[in-house]
mmCIF file of all heavy atoms in Angstrom:
data_model
loop_
_atom_site.group_PDB
_atom_site.id
_atom_site.type_symbol
_atom_site.label_atom_id
_atom_site.label_comp_id
_atom_site.label_asym_id
_atom_site.label_seq_id
_atom_site.Cartn_x
_atom_site.Cartn_y
_atom_site.Cartn_z
ATOM 1 N N GLY A 1 14.515 43.848 -58.815
ATOM 2 C CA GLY A 1 14.488 42.824 -57.783
ATOM 3 C C GLY A 1 14.153 41.457 -58.341
ATOM 4 O O GLY A 1 14.746 40.447 -57.942
ATOM 5 N N ARG A 2 13.230 41.403 -59.298
ATOM 6 C CA ARG A 2 12.889 40.125 -59.914
ATOM 7 C C ARG A 2 14.050 39.564 -60.718
ATOM 8 O O ARG A 2 14.297 38.355 -60.716
ATOM 9 C CB ARG A 2 11.651 40.289 -60.806
ATOM 10 C CG ARG A 2 10.338 40.437 -60.040
ATOM 11 C CD ARG A 2 9.161 40.161 -60.941
ATOM 12 N NE ARG A 2 9.057 41.139 -62.015
ATOM 13 C CZ ARG A 2 8.331 42.241 -61.961
ATOM 14 N NH1 ARG A 2 7.657 42.522 -60.865
ATOM 15 N NH2 ARG A 2 8.274 43.061 -62.987
ATOM 16 N N ARG A 3 14.769 40.453 -61.412
ATOM 17 C CA ARG A 3 15.930 39.987 -62.181
ATOM 18 C C ARG A 3 17.009 39.426 -61.270
ATOM 19 O O ARG A 3 17.642 38.416 -61.582
ATOM 20 C CB ARG A 3 16.497 41.133 -63.017
ATOM 21 C CG ARG A 3 15.635 41.539 -64.200
ATOM 22 C CD ARG A 3 16.433 42.395 -65.173
ATOM 23 N NE ARG A 3 16.919 43.610 -64.560
ATOM 24 C CZ ARG A 3 16.269 44.764 -64.545
ATOM 25 N NH1 ARG A 3 15.066 44.841 -65.098
ATOM 26 N NH2 ARG A 3 16.799 45.836 -63.993
ATOM 27 N N ARG A 4 17.238 40.086 -60.137
ATOM 28 C CA ARG A 4 18.275 39.604 -59.216
ATOM 29 C C ARG A 4 17.884 38.256 -58.614
ATOM 30 O O ARG A 4 18.722 37.371 -58.448
ATOM 31 C CB ARG A 4 18.505 40.638 -58.113
ATOM 32 C CG ARG A 4 19.007 41.979 -58.613
ATOM 33 C CD ARG A 4 20.331 41.867 -59.334
ATOM 34 N NE ARG A 4 20.790 43.134 -59.854
ATOM 35 C CZ ARG A 4 20.888 43.422 -61.139
ATOM 36 N NH1 ARG A 4 20.558 42.515 -62.057
ATOM 37 N NH2 ARG A 4 21.319 44.607 -61.544
ATOM 38 N N LEU A 5 16.608 38.104 -58.272
ATOM 39 C CA LEU A 5 16.154 36.825 -57.726
ATOM 40 C C LEU A 5 16.280 35.725 -58.769
ATOM 41 O O LEU A 5 16.686 34.600 -58.460
ATOM 42 C CB LEU A 5 14.703 36.936 -57.250
ATOM 43 C CG LEU A 5 14.089 35.658 -56.656
ATOM 44 C CD1 LEU A 5 14.889 35.177 -55.459
ATOM 45 C CD2 LEU A 5 12.634 35.885 -56.280
ATOM 46 N N THR A 6 15.967 36.048 -60.026
ATOM 47 C CA THR A 6 16.116 35.072 -61.105
ATOM 48 C C THR A 6 17.581 34.669 -61.264
ATOM 49 O O THR A 6 17.902 33.487 -61.441
ATOM 50 C CB THR A 6 15.592 35.656 -62.428
ATOM 51 O OG1 THR A 6 14.213 35.995 -62.282
ATOM 52 C CG2 THR A 6 15.744 34.649 -63.563
ATOM 53 N N THR A 7 18.486 35.650 -61.203
ATOM 54 C CA THR A 7 19.916 35.356 -61.285
ATOM 55 C C THR A 7 20.350 34.455 -60.143
ATOM 56 O O THR A 7 21.087 33.474 -60.342
ATOM 57 C CB THR A 7 20.728 36.659 -61.242
ATOM 58 O OG1 THR A 7 20.347 37.495 -62.342
ATOM 59 C CG2 THR A 7 22.218 36.383 -61.321
ATOM 60 N N LEU A 8 19.921 34.776 -58.929
ATOM 61 C CA LEU A 8 20.267 33.982 -57.746
ATOM 62 C C LEU A 8 19.822 32.532 -57.919
ATOM 63 O O LEU A 8 20.603 31.597 -57.710
ATOM 64 C CB LEU A 8 19.617 34.611 -56.510
ATOM 65 C CG LEU A 8 19.956 34.045 -55.127
ATOM 66 C CD1 LEU A 8 19.681 35.110 -54.062
ATOM 67 C CD2 LEU A 8 19.146 32.802 -54.796
ATOM 68 N N LEU A 9 18.561 32.346 -58.325
ATOM 69 C CA LEU A 9 18.011 30.995 -58.450
ATOM 70 C C LEU A 9 18.673 30.224 -59.595
ATOM 71 O O LEU A 9 18.878 29.017 -59.493
ATOM 72 C CB LEU A 9 16.497 31.070 -58.656
ATOM 73 C CG LEU A 9 15.694 31.632 -57.477
ATOM 74 C CD1 LEU A 9 14.223 31.730 -57.834
ATOM 75 C CD2 LEU A 9 15.885 30.777 -56.228
ATOM 76 N N ALA A 10 19.010 30.932 -60.682
ATOM 77 C CA ALA A 10 19.669 30.267 -61.816
ATOM 78 C C ALA A 10 21.051 29.756 -61.420
ATOM 79 O O ALA A 10 21.425 28.622 -61.744
ATOM 80 C CB ALA A 10 19.767 31.231 -62.997
ATOM 81 N N ILE A 11 21.812 30.592 -60.718
ATOM 82 C CA ILE A 11 23.148 30.175 -60.262
ATOM 83 C C ILE A 11 23.033 29.001 -59.297
ATOM 84 O O ILE A 11 23.792 28.027 -59.382
ATOM 85 C CB ILE A 11 23.872 31.357 -59.605
ATOM 86 C CG1 ILE A 11 24.223 32.409 -60.659
ATOM 87 C CG2 ILE A 11 25.144 30.896 -58.881
ATOM 88 C CD1 ILE A 11 24.771 33.682 -60.080
ATOM 89 N N ALA A 12 22.077 29.089 -58.383
ATOM 90 C CA ALA A 12 21.873 28.003 -57.418
ATOM 91 C C ALA A 12 21.500 26.705 -58.130
ATOM 92 O O ALA A 12 22.010 25.626 -57.783
ATOM 93 C CB ALA A 12 20.787 28.392 -56.412
ATOM 94 N N ALA A 13 20.640 26.792 -59.138
ATOM 95 C CA ALA A 13 20.205 25.594 -59.859
ATOM 96 C C ALA A 13 21.365 24.950 -60.612
ATOM 97 O O ALA A 13 21.515 23.719 -60.611
ATOM 98 C CB ALA A 13 19.074 25.953 -60.821
ATOM 99 N N VAL A 14 22.203 25.765 -61.255
ATOM 100 C CA VAL A 14 23.347 25.238 -61.997
ATOM 101 C C VAL A 14 24.328 24.532 -61.055
ATOM 102 O O VAL A 14 24.786 23.407 -61.332
ATOM 103 C CB VAL A 14 24.055 26.359 -62.778
ATOM 104 C CG1 VAL A 14 25.387 25.872 -63.336
ATOM 105 C CG2 VAL A 14 23.161 26.873 -63.903
ATOM 106 N N LEU A 15 24.645 25.181 -59.950
ATOM 107 C CA LEU A 15 25.593 24.593 -59.000
ATOM 108 C C LEU A 15 25.018 23.347 -58.334
ATOM 109 O O LEU A 15 25.732 22.364 -58.113
ATOM 110 C CB LEU A 15 25.983 25.626 -57.950
ATOM 111 C CG LEU A 15 26.866 26.769 -58.461
ATOM 112 C CD1 LEU A 15 27.039 27.839 -57.387
ATOM 113 C CD2 LEU A 15 28.222 26.237 -58.895
ATOM 114 N N PHE A 16 23.738 23.371 -58.023
ATOM 115 C CA PHE A 16 23.089 22.198 -57.433
ATOM 116 C C PHE A 16 23.132 21.019 -58.401
ATOM 117 O O PHE A 16 23.453 19.889 -58.018
ATOM 118 C CB PHE A 16 21.650 22.521 -57.056
ATOM 119 C CG PHE A 16 20.848 21.328 -56.632
ATOM 120 C CD1 PHE A 16 21.103 20.699 -55.423
ATOM 121 C CD2 PHE A 16 19.843 20.811 -57.446
ATOM 122 C CE1 PHE A 16 20.375 19.586 -55.020
ATOM 123 C CE2 PHE A 16 19.111 19.706 -57.062
ATOM 124 C CZ PHE A 16 19.374 19.090 -55.845
ATOM 125 N N GLY A 17 22.806 21.294 -59.678
ATOM 126 C CA GLY A 17 22.846 20.223 -60.674
ATOM 127 C C GLY A 17 24.248 19.681 -60.879
ATOM 128 O O GLY A 17 24.450 18.463 -60.994
ATOM 129 N N LEU A 18 25.242 20.570 -60.909
ATOM 130 C CA LEU A 18 26.633 20.133 -61.083
ATOM 131 C C LEU A 18 27.096 19.315 -59.889
ATOM 132 O O LEU A 18 27.787 18.292 -60.052
ATOM 133 C CB LEU A 18 27.520 21.368 -61.252
ATOM 134 C CG LEU A 18 29.011 21.112 -61.481
ATOM 135 C CD1 LEU A 18 29.226 20.316 -62.755
ATOM 136 C CD2 LEU A 18 29.777 22.427 -61.541
ATOM 137 N N ASP A 19 26.711 19.736 -58.682
ATOM 138 C CA ASP A 19 27.091 18.992 -57.473
ATOM 139 C C ASP A 19 26.466 17.602 -57.477
ATOM 140 O O ASP A 19 27.138 16.610 -57.194
ATOM 141 C CB ASP A 19 26.648 19.780 -56.240
ATOM 142 C CG ASP A 19 26.971 19.060 -54.944
ATOM 143 O OD1 ASP A 19 28.177 18.943 -54.613
ATOM 144 O OD2 ASP A 19 26.033 18.614 -54.259
ATOM 145 N N LEU A 20 25.174 17.542 -57.825
ATOM 146 C CA LEU A 20 24.484 16.253 -57.836
ATOM 147 C C LEU A 20 25.082 15.317 -58.880
ATOM 148 O O LEU A 20 25.295 14.127 -58.618
ATOM 149 C CB LEU A 20 22.989 16.485 -58.113
ATOM 150 C CG LEU A 20 22.082 15.255 -58.082
ATOM 151 C CD1 LEU A 20 22.105 14.610 -56.700
ATOM 152 C CD2 LEU A 20 20.664 15.634 -58.471
ATOM 153 N N LEU A 21 25.378 15.864 -60.065
ATOM 154 C CA LEU A 21 25.951 15.037 -61.133
ATOM 155 C C LEU A 21 27.321 14.491 -60.743
ATOM 156 O O LEU A 21 27.599 13.292 -60.917
ATOM 157 C CB LEU A 21 26.065 15.868 -62.409
ATOM 158 C CG LEU A 21 26.764 15.195 -63.597
ATOM 159 C CD1 LEU A 21 25.988 13.967 -64.045
ATOM 160 C CD2 LEU A 21 26.926 16.179 -64.751
ATOM 161 N N THR A 22 28.176 15.338 -60.218
ATOM 162 C CA THR A 22 29.534 14.887 -59.864
ATOM 163 C C THR A 22 29.512 13.879 -58.716
ATOM 164 O O THR A 22 30.319 12.947 -58.694
ATOM 165 C CB THR A 22 30.418 16.086 -59.495
ATOM 166 O OG1 THR A 22 29.767 16.875 -58.475
ATOM 167 C CG2 THR A 22 30.664 16.971 -60.709
ATOM 168 N N LYS A 23 28.592 14.050 -57.781
ATOM 169 C CA LYS A 23 28.486 13.079 -56.689
ATOM 170 C C LYS A 23 28.025 11.721 -57.204
ATOM 171 O O LYS A 23 28.548 10.672 -56.778
ATOM 172 C CB LYS A 23 27.526 13.592 -55.617
ATOM 173 C CG LYS A 23 28.098 14.703 -54.755
ATOM 174 C CD LYS A 23 27.058 15.244 -53.800
ATOM 175 C CE LYS A 23 27.638 16.325 -52.899
ATOM 176 N NZ LYS A 23 26.601 16.951 -52.032
ATOM 177 N N CYS A 24 27.059 11.721 -58.104
ATOM 178 C CA CYS A 24 26.588 10.454 -58.676
ATOM 179 C C CYS A 24 27.706 9.752 -59.443
ATOM 180 O O CYS A 24 27.876 8.529 -59.352
ATOM 181 C CB CYS A 24 25.396 10.712 -59.596
ATOM 182 S SG CYS A 24 23.884 11.200 -58.739
ATOM 183 N N LEU A 25 28.491 10.530 -60.197
ATOM 184 C CA LEU A 25 29.615 9.947 -60.934
ATOM 185 C C LEU A 25 30.675 9.412 -59.979
ATOM 186 O O LEU A 25 31.255 8.333 -60.220
ATOM 187 C CB LEU A 25 30.225 10.998 -61.864
ATOM 188 C CG LEU A 25 29.369 11.418 -63.060
ATOM 189 C CD1 LEU A 25 30.038 12.564 -63.808
ATOM 190 C CD2 LEU A 25 29.126 10.233 -63.994
ATOM 191 N N ALA A 26 30.928 10.140 -58.899
ATOM 192 C CA ALA A 26 31.933 9.696 -57.938
ATOM 193 C C ALA A 26 31.523 8.383 -57.287
ATOM 194 O O ALA A 26 32.344 7.456 -57.152
ATOM 195 C CB ALA A 26 32.148 10.773 -56.874
ATOM 196 N N VAL A 27 30.262 8.284 -56.896
ATOM 197 C CA VAL A 27 29.776 7.058 -56.252
ATOM 198 C C VAL A 27 29.819 5.887 -57.234
ATOM 199 O O VAL A 27 30.141 4.753 -56.855
ATOM 200 C CB VAL A 27 28.342 7.275 -55.722
ATOM 201 C CG1 VAL A 27 27.733 5.962 -55.251
ATOM 202 C CG2 VAL A 27 28.349 8.291 -54.577
ATOM 203 N N ALA A 28 29.509 6.160 -58.505
ATOM 204 C CA ALA A 28 29.443 5.088 -59.496
ATOM 205 C C ALA A 28 30.829 4.635 -59.975
ATOM 206 O O ALA A 28 31.019 3.456 -60.294
ATOM 207 C CB ALA A 28 28.610 5.546 -60.691
ATOM 208 N N LEU A 29 31.796 5.542 -60.003
ATOM 209 C CA LEU A 29 33.071 5.238 -60.647
ATOM 210 C C LEU A 29 34.244 5.044 -59.688
ATOM 211 O O LEU A 29 35.272 4.489 -60.084
ATOM 212 C CB LEU A 29 33.419 6.352 -61.643
ATOM 213 C CG LEU A 29 32.398 6.583 -62.763
ATOM 214 C CD1 LEU A 29 32.821 7.771 -63.626
ATOM 215 C CD2 LEU A 29 32.226 5.326 -63.617
ATOM 216 N N ILE A 30 34.109 5.517 -58.449
ATOM 217 C CA ILE A 30 35.235 5.432 -57.513
ATOM 218 C C ILE A 30 34.882 4.484 -56.374
ATOM 219 O O ILE A 30 33.837 4.648 -55.718
ATOM 220 C CB ILE A 30 35.582 6.822 -56.940
ATOM 221 C CG1 ILE A 30 35.866 7.813 -58.075
ATOM 222 C CG2 ILE A 30 36.783 6.732 -56.013
ATOM 223 C CD1 ILE A 30 36.079 9.228 -57.593
ATOM 224 N N ASP A 31 35.731 3.525 -56.132
ATOM 225 C CA ASP A 31 35.518 2.602 -55.015
ATOM 226 C C ASP A 31 35.976 3.248 -53.710
ATOM 227 O O ASP A 31 36.925 4.050 -53.706
ATOM 228 C CB ASP A 31 36.306 1.318 -55.238
ATOM 229 C CG ASP A 31 35.798 0.538 -56.439
ATOM 230 O OD1 ASP A 31 34.578 0.598 -56.703
ATOM 231 O OD2 ASP A 31 36.628 -0.112 -57.124
ATOM 232 N N PRO A 32 35.310 2.923 -52.594
ATOM 233 C CA PRO A 32 35.744 3.468 -51.295
ATOM 234 C C PRO A 32 37.195 3.117 -51.001
ATOM 235 O O PRO A 32 37.624 1.970 -51.173
ATOM 236 C CB PRO A 32 34.791 2.785 -50.301
ATOM 237 C CG PRO A 32 33.579 2.451 -51.106
ATOM 238 C CD PRO A 32 34.090 2.114 -52.482
ATOM 239 N N GLY A 33 37.967 4.125 -50.608
ATOM 240 C CA GLY A 33 39.368 3.916 -50.319
ATOM 241 C C GLY A 33 40.272 4.024 -51.534
ATOM 242 O O GLY A 33 41.504 4.062 -51.392
ATOM 243 N N GLU A 34 39.693 4.065 -52.732
ATOM 244 C CA GLU A 34 40.496 4.190 -53.947
ATOM 245 C C GLU A 34 40.939 5.636 -54.143
ATOM 246 O O GLU A 34 40.196 6.574 -53.837
ATOM 247 C CB GLU A 34 39.684 3.730 -55.159
ATOM 248 C CG GLU A 34 40.433 3.819 -56.479
ATOM 249 C CD GLU A 34 39.551 3.464 -57.665
ATOM 250 O OE1 GLU A 34 38.347 3.203 -57.442
ATOM 251 O OE2 GLU A 34 40.068 3.455 -58.800
ATOM 252 N N SER A 35 42.123 5.828 -54.669
ATOM 253 C CA SER A 35 42.651 7.158 -54.958
ATOM 254 C C SER A 35 42.994 7.250 -56.439
ATOM 255 O O SER A 35 43.792 6.458 -56.941
ATOM 256 C CB SER A 35 43.899 7.445 -54.105
ATOM 257 O OG SER A 35 44.381 8.744 -54.354
ATOM 258 N N VAL A 36 42.349 8.217 -57.121
ATOM 259 C CA VAL A 36 42.566 8.394 -58.557
ATOM 260 C C VAL A 36 43.375 9.674 -58.767
ATOM 261 O O VAL A 36 42.856 10.778 -58.574
ATOM 262 C CB VAL A 36 41.228 8.488 -59.309
ATOM 263 C CG1 VAL A 36 41.466 8.654 -60.808
ATOM 264 C CG2 VAL A 36 40.359 7.268 -59.028
ATOM 265 N N PRO A 37 44.646 9.585 -59.160
ATOM 266 C CA PRO A 37 45.477 10.781 -59.290
ATOM 267 C C PRO A 37 44.992 11.692 -60.424
ATOM 268 O O PRO A 37 44.572 11.224 -61.480
ATOM 269 C CB PRO A 37 46.871 10.216 -59.612
ATOM 270 C CG PRO A 37 46.814 8.772 -59.216
ATOM 271 C CD PRO A 37 45.397 8.349 -59.419
ATOM 272 N N ILE A 38 45.048 13.007 -60.165
ATOM 273 C CA ILE A 38 44.762 14.010 -61.191
ATOM 274 C C ILE A 38 46.046 14.745 -61.545
ATOM 275 O O ILE A 38 46.433 14.832 -62.702
ATOM 276 C CB ILE A 38 43.704 15.021 -60.698
ATOM 277 C CG1 ILE A 38 42.445 14.289 -60.232
ATOM 278 C CG2 ILE A 38 43.357 16.009 -61.801
ATOM 279 C CD1 ILE A 38 41.437 15.201 -59.566
ATOM 280 N N ILE A 39 46.703 15.293 -60.513
ATOM 281 C CA ILE A 39 48.014 15.927 -60.675
ATOM 282 C C ILE A 39 48.946 15.262 -59.663
ATOM 283 O O ILE A 39 49.167 15.768 -58.559
ATOM 284 C CB ILE A 39 47.946 17.440 -60.443
ATOM 285 C CG1 ILE A 39 46.891 18.080 -61.340
ATOM 286 C CG2 ILE A 39 49.308 18.088 -60.705
ATOM 287 C CD1 ILE A 39 46.694 19.555 -61.092
ATOM 288 N N GLY A 40 49.441 14.103 -60.018
ATOM 289 C CA GLY A 40 50.300 13.355 -59.109
ATOM 290 C C GLY A 40 49.574 13.048 -57.807
ATOM 291 O O GLY A 40 48.406 12.660 -57.802
#
């Protein structure tokens, strides 16, 4: 049970950090209304 809880929290922490990082980059690098193509 402790191992599963550790796994749960580790996955949550990684995804939370990735979400926070990408949001900060989006706010800093993309202007409102701007569209940056990735695949057309």
Side-chain angles (χ1 to χ4, degrees):
R2 286 198 296 267
R3 288 196 300 269
R4 298 300 178 247
L5 180 59
T6 300
T7 300
L8 186 158
L9 295 177
I11 291 172
V14 169
L15 290 172
F16 171 71
L18 181 61
D19 178 69
L20 183 61
L21 175 63
T22 53
K23 286 175 178 175
C24 290
L25 290 174
V27 171
L29 301 176
I30 304 174
D31 294 328
E34 180 185 3
S35 182
V36 181
I38 305 172
I39 305 176

